Amino acid sequence: MLRVMVVDDEPPARRGLKRLMQAHPDVEVVGEAGSLDQAHQLTHALRPDAIFLDIDLGDDDGFGLIKRLDQVPAIVFVTGHGTYAPQAFDVAALDFLLKPVERQRLALTLERLRRYRHALELGGKVLDDTATVLPVVMPGRRRLHIRMAGQTLVLPTDGIAMLAAEADFTRIVMADARDHLVCRLLGQFDAELPTPPFIRVSRSLIINLDRVVRVRSQDKGRSLLSLGRSLTPIMLGRVATTRLRRALDGFQRVGTVPDG
């Protein structure tokens, strides 16, 4: 059951959103608030999975609520002003709905919430798909800064072994076997990562050529890819194998051992 809270200073808007949610049996509206202070108190008391949060709350705004919370649940902004979208992304909102909320659009948001909660239940480190990923060039090193509510995760790109798509999520696998599950499509990382050494070998996999240790040929044109001692080798299909070998042929690096 998805436990959500609705925050809007207009009672008709709260009633309308709750009415739309009634079509989803796995969604429970556990509370509603019409002001920032009330929302702050209820969030601490109810601990909802998500807050559907209006931005314009009379004398206050929804961004102020996020600043006051120690633990921020998933945030879905609901507003009549599309100009707030960049600020919503800055605080890593899970989604941004424009009033009047359409039934089909709400359904997409709720599905995103379900997947987000499922990933959390699996114990993964989940970052919001609206988090800003910034490629930052450091002296002799490049990093990804993944900005989310209240913190920034810094990942040196040379420490990334691969990125794998998992539905609407991307799992970033580090060379030391740590991984981070990011609620962001794999394709959104294509422009953020340097090419080379990163190469997308399939719809679901991006490989860091610097981390390739061995490519062993298998039957039917497949291959077994090793990315270091800490990681379990992965099987690549025929097309992915062809793309990887072509990339390696044009990528000069000491230590790569294509086999076969």
PDB file of all heavy atoms in Angstrom, residues 6-19 32-35 38:
ATOM      1  N   VAL A   6      -1.522  14.659   1.029  1.00  0.00           N
ATOM      2  CA  VAL A   6      -1.844  15.723   0.083  1.00  0.00           C
ATOM      3  C   VAL A   6      -1.740  17.057   0.805  1.00  0.00           C
ATOM      4  O   VAL A   6      -2.372  17.262   1.846  1.00  0.00           O
ATOM      5  CB  VAL A   6      -3.259  15.535  -0.497  1.00  0.00           C
ATOM      6  CG1 VAL A   6      -3.612  16.708  -1.397  1.00  0.00           C
ATOM      7  CG2 VAL A   6      -3.358  14.218  -1.259  1.00  0.00           C
ATOM      8  N   VAL A   7      -0.937  17.953   0.247  1.00  0.00           N
ATOM      9  CA  VAL A   7      -0.745  19.274   0.851  1.00  0.00           C
ATOM     10  C   VAL A   7      -1.122  20.335  -0.173  1.00  0.00           C
ATOM     11  O   VAL A   7      -0.485  20.467  -1.220  1.00  0.00           O
ATOM     12  CB  VAL A   7       0.709  19.477   1.308  1.00  0.00           C
ATOM     13  CG1 VAL A   7       0.886  20.870   1.920  1.00  0.00           C
ATOM     14  CG2 VAL A   7       1.115  18.404   2.307  1.00  0.00           C
ATOM     15  N   ASP A   8      -2.179  21.080   0.127  1.00  0.00           N
ATOM     16  CA  ASP A   8      -2.651  22.149  -0.761  1.00  0.00           C
ATOM     17  C   ASP A   8      -3.496  23.091   0.079  1.00  0.00           C
ATOM     18  O   ASP A   8      -4.299  22.640   0.908  1.00  0.00           O
ATOM     19  CB  ASP A   8      -3.483  21.566  -1.914  1.00  0.00           C
ATOM     20  CG  ASP A   8      -3.655  22.550  -3.059  1.00  0.00           C
ATOM     21  OD1 ASP A   8      -4.152  23.672  -2.804  1.00  0.00           O
ATOM     22  OD2 ASP A   8      -3.302  22.201  -4.191  1.00  0.00           O
ATOM     23  N   ASP A   9      -3.338  24.392  -0.110  1.00  0.00           N
ATOM     24  CA  ASP A   9      -4.096  25.345   0.706  1.00  0.00           C
ATOM     25  C   ASP A   9      -5.526  25.532   0.220  1.00  0.00           C
ATOM     26  O   ASP A   9      -6.316  26.229   0.848  1.00  0.00           O
ATOM     27  CB  ASP A   9      -3.368  26.691   0.761  1.00  0.00           C
ATOM     28  CG  ASP A   9      -3.262  27.367  -0.598  1.00  0.00           C
ATOM     29  OD1 ASP A   9      -3.239  26.639  -1.608  1.00  0.00           O
ATOM     30  OD2 ASP A   9      -3.194  28.601  -0.644  1.00  0.00           O
ATOM     31  N   GLU A  10      -5.889  24.885  -0.902  1.00  0.00           N
ATOM     32  CA  GLU A  10      -7.243  24.980  -1.432  1.00  0.00           C
ATOM     33  C   GLU A  10      -7.973  23.645  -1.224  1.00  0.00           C
ATOM     34  O   GLU A  10      -7.626  22.642  -1.861  1.00  0.00           O
ATOM     35  CB  GLU A  10      -7.215  25.330  -2.917  1.00  0.00           C
ATOM     36  CG  GLU A  10      -6.583  26.684  -3.208  1.00  0.00           C
ATOM     37  CD  GLU A  10      -6.564  27.002  -4.692  1.00  0.00           C
ATOM     38  OE1 GLU A  10      -6.966  26.120  -5.483  1.00  0.00           O
ATOM     39  OE2 GLU A  10      -6.175  28.120  -5.051  1.00  0.00           O
ATOM     40  N   PRO A  11      -8.990  23.599  -0.356  1.00  0.00           N
ATOM     41  CA  PRO A  11      -9.725  22.352  -0.102  1.00  0.00           C
ATOM     42  C   PRO A  11     -10.274  21.686  -1.363  1.00  0.00           C
ATOM     43  O   PRO A  11     -10.193  20.448  -1.483  1.00  0.00           O
ATOM     44  CB  PRO A  11     -10.845  22.791   0.850  1.00  0.00           C
ATOM     45  CG  PRO A  11     -10.262  23.976   1.568  1.00  0.00           C
ATOM     46  CD  PRO A  11      -9.443  24.688   0.530  1.00  0.00           C
ATOM     47  N   PRO A  12     -10.828  22.435  -2.328  1.00  0.00           N
ATOM     48  CA  PRO A  12     -11.320  21.760  -3.540  1.00  0.00           C
ATOM     49  C   PRO A  12     -10.215  21.020  -4.285  1.00  0.00           C
ATOM     50  O   PRO A  12     -10.460  19.954  -4.865  1.00  0.00           O
ATOM     51  CB  PRO A  12     -11.884  22.918  -4.378  1.00  0.00           C
ATOM     52  CG  PRO A  12     -12.225  23.979  -3.381  1.00  0.00           C
ATOM     53  CD  PRO A  12     -11.163  23.882  -2.338  1.00  0.00           C
ATOM     54  N   ALA A  13      -9.013  21.594  -4.292  1.00  0.00           N
ATOM     55  CA  ALA A  13      -7.891  20.932  -4.971  1.00  0.00           C
ATOM     56  C   ALA A  13      -7.530  19.630  -4.256  1.00  0.00           C
ATOM     57  O   ALA A  13      -7.239  18.614  -4.901  1.00  0.00           O
ATOM     58  CB  ALA A  13      -6.690  21.866  -5.015  1.00  0.00           C
ATOM     59  N   ARG A  14      -7.556  19.646  -2.914  1.00  0.00           N
ATOM     60  CA  ARG A  14      -7.251  18.428  -2.159  1.00  0.00           C
ATOM     61  C   ARG A  14      -8.315  17.358  -2.436  1.00  0.00           C
ATOM     62  O   ARG A  14      -7.989  16.188  -2.650  1.00  0.00           O
ATOM     63  CB  ARG A  14      -7.176  18.726  -0.662  1.00  0.00           C
ATOM     64  CG  ARG A  14      -6.072  19.685  -0.268  1.00  0.00           C
ATOM     65  CD  ARG A  14      -5.738  19.573   1.214  1.00  0.00           C
ATOM     66  NE  ARG A  14      -6.873  19.846   2.088  1.00  0.00           N
ATOM     67  CZ  ARG A  14      -7.197  21.047   2.556  1.00  0.00           C
ATOM     68  NH1 ARG A  14      -6.467  22.113   2.211  1.00  0.00           N
ATOM     69  NH2 ARG A  14      -8.239  21.215   3.360  1.00  0.00           N
ATOM     70  N   ARG A  15      -9.573  17.774  -2.427  1.00  0.00           N
ATOM     71  CA  ARG A  15     -10.656  16.813  -2.674  1.00  0.00           C
ATOM     72  C   ARG A  15     -10.559  16.211  -4.077  1.00  0.00           C
ATOM     73  O   ARG A  15     -10.754  15.009  -4.265  1.00  0.00           O
ATOM     74  CB  ARG A  15     -12.014  17.495  -2.492  1.00  0.00           C
ATOM     75  CG  ARG A  15     -12.352  17.827  -1.044  1.00  0.00           C
ATOM     76  CD  ARG A  15     -13.834  18.145  -0.900  1.00  0.00           C
ATOM     77  NE  ARG A  15     -14.221  19.328  -1.656  1.00  0.00           N
ATOM     78  CZ  ARG A  15     -14.221  20.559  -1.156  1.00  0.00           C
ATOM     79  NH1 ARG A  15     -13.847  20.762   0.110  1.00  0.00           N
ATOM     80  NH2 ARG A  15     -14.588  21.588  -1.905  1.00  0.00           N
ATOM     81  N   GLY A  16     -10.240  17.045  -5.064  1.00  0.00           N
ATOM     82  CA  GLY A  16     -10.138  16.560  -6.436  1.00  0.00           C
ATOM     83  C   GLY A  16      -9.028  15.539  -6.601  1.00  0.00           C
ATOM     84  O   GLY A  16      -9.211  14.506  -7.270  1.00  0.00           O
ATOM     85  N   LEU A  17      -7.874  15.801  -5.990  1.00  0.00           N
ATOM     86  CA  LEU A  17      -6.750  14.879  -6.106  1.00  0.00           C
ATOM     87  C   LEU A  17      -7.055  13.571  -5.382  1.00  0.00           C
ATOM     88  O   LEU A  17      -6.755  12.480  -5.886  1.00  0.00           O
ATOM     89  CB  LEU A  17      -5.487  15.526  -5.527  1.00  0.00           C
ATOM     90  CG  LEU A  17      -4.165  14.799  -5.781  1.00  0.00           C
ATOM     91  CD1 LEU A  17      -3.945  14.552  -7.270  1.00  0.00           C
ATOM     92  CD2 LEU A  17      -3.000  15.627  -5.220  1.00  0.00           C
ATOM     93  N   LYS A  18      -7.672  13.673  -4.209  1.00  0.00           N
ATOM     94  CA  LYS A  18      -8.025  12.457  -3.469  1.00  0.00           C
ATOM     95  C   LYS A  18      -9.050  11.629  -4.249  1.00  0.00           C
ATOM     96  O   LYS A  18      -8.995  10.394  -4.244  1.00  0.00           O
ATOM     97  CB  LYS A  18      -8.576  12.820  -2.092  1.00  0.00           C
ATOM     98  CG  LYS A  18      -7.536  13.351  -1.127  1.00  0.00           C
ATOM     99  CD  LYS A  18      -8.073  13.435   0.296  1.00  0.00           C
ATOM    100  CE  LYS A  18      -9.260  14.359   0.412  1.00  0.00           C
ATOM    101  NZ  LYS A  18      -9.783  14.404   1.802  1.00  0.00           N
ATOM    102  N   ARG A  19      -9.961  12.302  -4.920  1.00  0.00           N
ATOM    103  CA  ARG A  19     -10.967  11.591  -5.708  1.00  0.00           C
ATOM    104  C   ARG A  19     -10.309  10.810  -6.848  1.00  0.00           C
ATOM    105  O   ARG A  19     -10.681   9.665  -7.130  1.00  0.00           O
ATOM    106  CB  ARG A  19     -11.992  12.580  -6.255  1.00  0.00           C
ATOM    107  CG  ARG A  19     -13.169  11.913  -6.945  1.00  0.00           C
ATOM    108  CD  ARG A  19     -14.348  12.869  -7.113  1.00  0.00           C
ATOM    109  NE  ARG A  19     -13.938  14.123  -7.726  1.00  0.00           N
ATOM    110  CZ  ARG A  19     -13.928  15.301  -7.088  1.00  0.00           C
ATOM    111  NH1 ARG A  19     -14.276  15.358  -5.809  1.00  0.00           N
ATOM    112  NH2 ARG A  19     -13.560  16.403  -7.708  1.00  0.00           N
ATOM    113  N   GLU A  32      -3.962  15.012   5.098  1.00  0.00           N
ATOM    114  CA  GLU A  32      -3.958  16.170   4.221  1.00  0.00           C
ATOM    115  C   GLU A  32      -3.717  17.419   5.051  1.00  0.00           C
ATOM    116  O   GLU A  32      -4.035  17.471   6.238  1.00  0.00           O
ATOM    117  CB  GLU A  32      -5.273  16.284   3.462  1.00  0.00           C
ATOM    118  CG  GLU A  32      -6.503  16.409   4.328  1.00  0.00           C
ATOM    119  CD  GLU A  32      -7.766  16.526   3.494  1.00  0.00           C
ATOM    120  OE1 GLU A  32      -7.985  17.623   2.927  1.00  0.00           O
ATOM    121  OE2 GLU A  32      -8.515  15.540   3.399  1.00  0.00           O
ATOM    122  N   ALA A  33      -3.110  18.403   4.414  1.00  0.00           N
ATOM    123  CA  ALA A  33      -2.774  19.641   5.119  1.00  0.00           C
ATOM    124  C   ALA A  33      -2.998  20.822   4.200  1.00  0.00           C
ATOM    125  O   ALA A  33      -2.859  20.714   2.981  1.00  0.00           O
ATOM    126  CB  ALA A  33      -1.318  19.602   5.593  1.00  0.00           C
ATOM    127  N   GLY A  34      -3.322  21.967   4.817  1.00  0.00           N
ATOM    128  CA  GLY A  34      -3.576  23.177   4.045  1.00  0.00           C
ATOM    129  C   GLY A  34      -2.543  24.255   4.259  1.00  0.00           C
ATOM    130  O   GLY A  34      -2.640  25.333   3.690  1.00  0.00           O
ATOM    131  N   SER A  35      -1.537  23.966   5.107  1.00  0.00           N
ATOM    132  CA  SER A  35      -0.491  24.954   5.380  1.00  0.00           C
ATOM    133  C   SER A  35       0.833  24.247   5.608  1.00  0.00           C
ATOM    134  O   SER A  35       0.884  23.029   5.860  1.00  0.00           O
ATOM    135  CB  SER A  35      -0.831  25.779   6.623  1.00  0.00           C
ATOM    136  OG  SER A  35      -0.791  24.958   7.788  1.00  0.00           O
ATOM    137  N   GLN A  38       1.145  22.816   9.282  1.00  0.00           N
ATOM    138  CA  GLN A  38       0.361  21.607   9.453  1.00  0.00           C
ATOM    139  C   GLN A  38       0.996  20.434   8.713  1.00  0.00           C
ATOM    140  O   GLN A  38       1.041  19.307   9.224  1.00  0.00           O
ATOM    141  CB  GLN A  38      -1.070  21.832   8.948  1.00  0.00           C
ATOM    142  CG  GLN A  38      -2.011  20.675   9.226  1.00  0.00           C
ATOM    143  CD  GLN A  38      -3.413  20.927   8.678  1.00  0.00           C
ATOM    144  OE1 GLN A  38      -3.621  21.842   7.880  1.00  0.00           O
ATOM    145  NE2 GLN A  38      -4.369  20.126   9.110  1.00  0.00           N
TER     146      GLN A  38
END
